[in-house]
Amino acid sequence: MASAVTQIDRNLVVARHCFGGIGDHLSCLIGAWWLARRTGRTLIVDWRGSRFNADPTMSSNCFFRYFEPRQTLAGVPVIADDTVGSLQYSTPIWPIKWTPASLATSNHLKHSADEVAAVNDLVASDKRPTEPTIVLNQWVEPPPPPEMVRLLLADLRLATPIQAEAQQFWDQQIGSAFAVGIHIRHGNGENVGARAAYWLGPIALMRQLSLNARNDVHRPGLFGRFSDNMPASLVGTSNQAAAERRFCRKVAADFRAFARELNITNAVPFLFCDSRQIIETLRQFLPNLVVRPKLLPEKGDGPLHQFDAKAADQAMQDGIRGGTVPEQITLDMFVELDLMQRCQALMYMDSGFSILARTSLDQSHQLRLQPTRINRLITRAMS
């Protein structure tokens, strides 16, 4: 990283790393790119402090490790190399929690619920902020128009080694077949919020949502097992095995109906999931299921890309814990991102991991998985 401070005389939108997973990172990037394009600004992508950064010093920027280097992204000038830590950002900065000193570090700054709402409103509106530096470090909702995001994705190409590894697996396991991606977010012990509706029986779901409602994920400190201040998860516990099996059976039935709707007779189901028990269960209903081999955590140990809040090697940042995911796990994740984008159709539950694939596909080739009707009613009533 350059030691000298570099003054920038342009208005900027900064996409910082997020405290969440890769879906949060990508949603933040997409929102920041759209705001920069809409307002004629330069985009800065700063992933130095990301959990996916293999550099233990957090001084290098890992963005171009996973994506091909670019000087522009769909018409927007971009700076995303190691110089991001030496840039002198013009003030005032919005939101006001950010300063040139905080932007010089790799630390994440925790945001409040009000800040989350304000950022979302700015990105989704036609407002033109007057501050020369705008910083985003969160999931952005709602996303920009899909046709605009597709322009970005045409330029946002994964790094060549990642593409090559994905191509090799695709050639060996899929070839010329029609692949339907199935993305299932289970949590494997981590609290999955309202996604618990997919996995729990009605009574357990009411209990889980009640526990969640009493917790503020934006408060300082650390109170949960994992790093999101959420209460214990009921998903994956032994008394919920029957409900999980019923959902896997429903996914298999939905896959067959979806293939018939698309008029595909030999569709290949391609599962993206980090829970060994769900992979094994779904394979009972879909014997030809394709799953890319990877390290799988033990039951209840959390998702692959999460880090346990009790890990001893984590450092405190702004009242929250930070840490890094092992490098091989991160590389496997990006290979799966590439593979999911290659699928000709997609079945998914609410999760940011599928954001690139969902944006790339026509609506007719997407199927949003649904919990049971009673669980949908319970979630709506308690939200």
Side-chain angles (χ1 to χ4, degrees), residues 56-228:
T57 70
M58 298 294 179
S59 59
S60 63
N61 188 4
C62 67
F63 183 72
F64 283 150
R65 175 176 176 79
Y66 306 120
F67 294 96
E68 289 185 354
R70 288 284 185 274
Q71 293 184 330
T72 62
L73 280 173
V76 176
V78 61
I79 301 173
D81 57 14
D82 291 350
T83 65
V84 295
S86 61
L87 301 178
Q88 181 60 49
Y89 295 94
S90 299
T91 57
I93 301 173
W94 187 92
I96 59 173
K97 67 180 179 184
W98 293 99
T99 66
S102 61
L103 286 172
T105 75
S106 62
N107 292 350
H108 174 87
L109 293 189
K110 196 169 180 64
H111 35 242
S112 66
D114 288 342
E115 287 174 342
V116 171
V119 168
N120 288 340
D121 178 66
L122 174 62
V123 175
S125 72
D126 58 359
K127 297 176 182 177
R128 301 183 71 88
T130 58
E131 295 87 351
T133 305
I134 307 296
V135 184
L136 279 64
N137 68 330
Q138 66 177 65
W139 174 274
V140 175
E141 187 70 33
E147 64 273 14
M148 300 305 300
V149 181
R150 290 189 185 106
L151 292 177
L152 170 62
L153 298 187
D155 260 1
L156 187 66
R157 292 189 285 273
L158 288 160
T160 300
I162 293 171
Q163 293 187 52
E165 189 164 343
Q167 185 69 59
Q168 181 180 24
F169 183 83
W170 186 273
D171 291 343
Q172 292 173 349
Q173 300 294 326
I174 305 297
S176 60
F178 187 100
V180 178
I182 305 174
H183 182 224
I184 293 185
R185 177 77 166 84
H186 180 262
N188 191 33
E190 179 197 31
N191 193 305
V192 288
R195 285 185 292 262
Y198 290 99
W199 302 111
L200 300 180
I203 295 175
L205 176 61
M206 287 188 284
R207 180 184 170 199
Q208 183 76 76
L209 294 178
S210 179
L211 288 170
N212 294 352
R214 295 197 294 268
N215 281 266
D216 178 10
V217 297
H218 299 290
R219 71 191 187 280
L222 184 69
F223 301 93
R225 177 185 171 193
F226 294 99
S227 55
D228 54 7

Side-chain angles (χ1 to χ4, degrees), residues 329-361:
I329 289 177
T330 297
L331 290 173
D332 284 341
M333 174 189 70
F334 278 96
V335 171
E336 288 203 331
L337 282 176
D338 185 295
L339 288 168
M340 188 181 291
Q341 285 186 276
R342 294 169 186 257
C343 293
Q344 294 96 325
L346 178 69
M347 300 168 58
Y348 67 96
M349 61 171 56
D350 295 331
S351 173
F353 189 81
S354 63
I355 187 171
L356 299 184
R358 282 187 280 118
T359 306
S360 302
L361 288 169

Side-chain angles (χ1 to χ4, degrees), residues 221-244:
L222 184 69
F223 301 93
R225 177 185 171 193
F226 294 99
S227 55
D228 54 7
N229 280 349
M230 293 291 280
S233 177
L234 303 179
V235 174
T237 53
S238 57
N239 60 343
Q240 293 301 314
E244 293 186 356

